Amino acid sequence: MRHFHCSVFRITLLAGAALSFPAIAQAQAQAQAQALAGTESPSEKSLTEDIVVTGIRASLASATKVKRDSVLIVDSISAEDVGKLPDVSIADSLARLPGVTAQRLEGRDQRLSIRGLGPDFSTTLLNGREQVTVGDNRGVEYDQYPSEFFQNVNVYKSADAALIAAGISGTVDLRMLRPLDKNDRILAVSLRGQMNGMDKLNPDGERYGYRASATYVDQFADDTLGLSLGFAASQTPSQNERFNAWGYPTDADGNLIIGGAKPYVQSNLLKRYGMVGTLEWQPSDNFHSTFDVLASHFEEEQRLRGIEFPLVWGSNVGVSDVTVENGFVTGATFSNVYGVQRNDYNKRKADTISLGWNNDIRLNDRLKLNVDASWSRAKRTDFLLETYSGTGYLRSGVSDTVRVERQSNGLFSIVPTLDYTDTNAISLTDPNGWGYNGTTAVVQAGFLNRPKFIDDMKSFRANLVGDISGSIFSNWEVGGNYSRRKKTSAYTSYFLCPTGGTDCTIANGTPGSAPVPQEALLGKNVSLDYLGVPAMLTLDPLYLYNNVLDAVYDNRPSSLVRDNVVKEDVFTGYAKMTLDGDLGGKPLKGAIGVQVIHTRQASTGTISNFSNGVVTVVPASGKDSFTNFLPSAQFSVELEPGFFVKMGAAQTMVRPRMDQERINQEYSFNLANVGLGSDPQYSPFSSNGGNVALRPYQSTNIDLSIEKYFSGGGYVSLAGYFKNLTDFVDPNNNIAYDFSDVLASLPVDIRNQIIADGSYIGLLKAPANTGKGTIMGAEGTVSLPFKVFSETLDGFGIFASGSYTHSEVKYGSNPTDVVTLPGLSKWVASGTAYYEKSGFQARVSYRYRSSFLGEVAGLSAAPTFRTAKAEGILDAQIGYEFQSGPLTGLSILLQGKNLTDQPFVTYQNGDKRQVIDYQRYGRDYYLGLTYKF
């Protein structure tokens, strides 16, 4: 296997056997944005200084100017006014850009894909600086950033040597407001109420929410000192009618039949509080300093209640009254079913802080120095509580008879005969005896996961820019960046069982069940009538956890081997030459450059060993280093006034998921496989984990964009792209590994049998850079104010885009099959029609994406991938801004999201009948007021 430190694993494994076998920153932000956009830096010329920011037309005009002036291929969104991006969230707005899509999580747009590649292949910057995330890996969760804090957001789709930490698919740069770019004092306040179209699905949930924000901007000392402050608070509820199928095995006649189901209703409440501040000082043309800070705190509470129905995959379940259509069971009656009632509670807390200090110094008439320092840190803790109830421990109570029928929307109606609200029949228990601690059964009446993540990054950058005269090259630039990132992942989990006894086992006195206490009843039972279940017993899971259930530490090998730390020290040096001249009498701009990136990465963690009922955890550590060279070139030619051809070629890279870089390995020995021969697949030895020597994904990119800008405003563009992917990470990679070092710890007879069979060669699973492939596609955009046709149409306009992406990627472990890339939709389209004039504005937006591989939460909240159905989402808004009289400065806005009530649906095996997830979020409505003093 490529780049795997077997020596680290071997040394640790031997130890285990011995122990047991029985600003870009504002100046980066300015210098880099200056280089990327091909314009003067914001300290000299604001990107939006010629635009009066009053609404969607001004927002589109500002975004158009960024796109036109940039040498790179870029798309942009701009705030319609101070503290007001065009949509409810950043991800909502980004999902309307060409080639950009968003996957909904808990009803909110969250997981972005750019040009067919998911969030693992892009990077997100804040004022040009790479950021940490509250997520499990690198992909930024946009909920951590209040949208009110950003003036514009740029999505760079081609690369430049000065663009540090660029992604393969693209780079998202969130840009905060700069106070010296404004001419006057600004004070703006906003309040927006929210209502979900569905009533709260849980009695302890919420239906109504709010968003409030305030922004202050001012200039002092003859406009050489600027200050901006922003505060935001929100309470966002959401509802979710959910259905999950376990899978679809075949029955005795070869027909597909549902194996089990888990329907439940979910009520979420996301609370977020944030603040942002920028202090900007420019005492002269020779010095410009900016310090900015962003802090965000959010808490999300989820209340989930439902019933798991073991059907064909249940124990001794009978099947009768079967109806079949085209080899698929569309209806059946299941008897001897023991349902598992779930009353769950999840709470997630996260804090993010980001600091940046940028200094732009003009050394002389031809030489400028930029120095930037930054620090960002994110901390997240989860409390994931499950509680179970049923008619008795290990199917000892009354069973149920359930009728299941497939509906036209892909859901299944589930009609039970048992009364699941009867406290005389229902108790706190492990209804199917699923609890197992690795050696013996436990009475698992619940489970608790408590993961914790800390992500910390420090960065320092300096670059020198020198002007050149008398040449097609306008300047040269050299620079360097050092960053240190450390991500700590810690996991603890617990079995929950009725009080009494020890270690949750029957043998040590744990009772098989406990009565439902009256204090845990909420007084109103939840209905699952959208599927046919009239009601279920509705309990307070926190009361059960604090008063009724015992918690026993989960020490299974797979649980003990999860904690890890991943560190990355990255040294980046770059040099580039900027072009600004003529080519055959046509204006030419561009840049040629190279990055040299040296990486030192390391991980500490554990390797677990489990045999004969004994678990051993051994510390492990490993490190690796490597260097990458990334050349790039970009050109923009204005063939006719307003008609541009832009080209780019670059080698880019993006680092793998951080959980794939962990050192951890879970080693196991299966005694039942002794004597099965020498095939590594049947060896008694195996191991599964990460790879500290994993390399970044690599891509050779070719980009082309043809753009026509109209004198009356607006543009049309057509872009094409090709990416040749190498060093693609194969998460399913296995290698044959020699486990003979641990043979000495085995009993003599087993050892001799293994040696005779040659079965000491087993499989070690760890990700490796064995994949490769290509991605190609095209995207078109039309931004058109209708006044270019007639002045009578002034105020009307459209913004529309569409894209097509084709990919062909194969893993080294399976070189004959093409991989479906997470987040890739072949067809993506969006369109916005708007009217805005004399203070009145209205718009309707629709976006569509074809089917894609989505990331969802699987068992124990572990991420898993499933095919998501195509979806189209309709949003609309209408508003009015008072432009004269005593109410001048006041605006009112009414918005509706997901007006099509589009569900999120996943299925398996390419068969849309085999629905796995069905999640309906309902519509959301917002009514807001904004006043600008």
Side-chain angles (χ1 to χ4, degrees), residues 90 464 536 609 626 857:
I90 297 172
L464 199 62
M536 62 166 286
N609 176 11
F626 49 88

Side-chain angles (χ1 to χ4, degrees), residues 8 32 113 125 239 358 362 394 522 620 671 698 716 755:
V8 174
Q32 182 172 306
S113 297
L125 313 177
Q239 314 299 325
N358 182 266
R362 182 177 293 276
L394 192 57
L522 291 184
L671 185 62
Q698 298 275 339
V716 295
I755 293 174

Side-chain angles (χ1 to χ4, degrees), residues 796-812:
F796 290 96
I798 61 168
F799 179 88
S801 68
S803 66
Y804 172 80
T805 303
H806 172 76
S807 73
E808 187 167 317
V809 175
K810 297 178 180 180
Y811 290 149

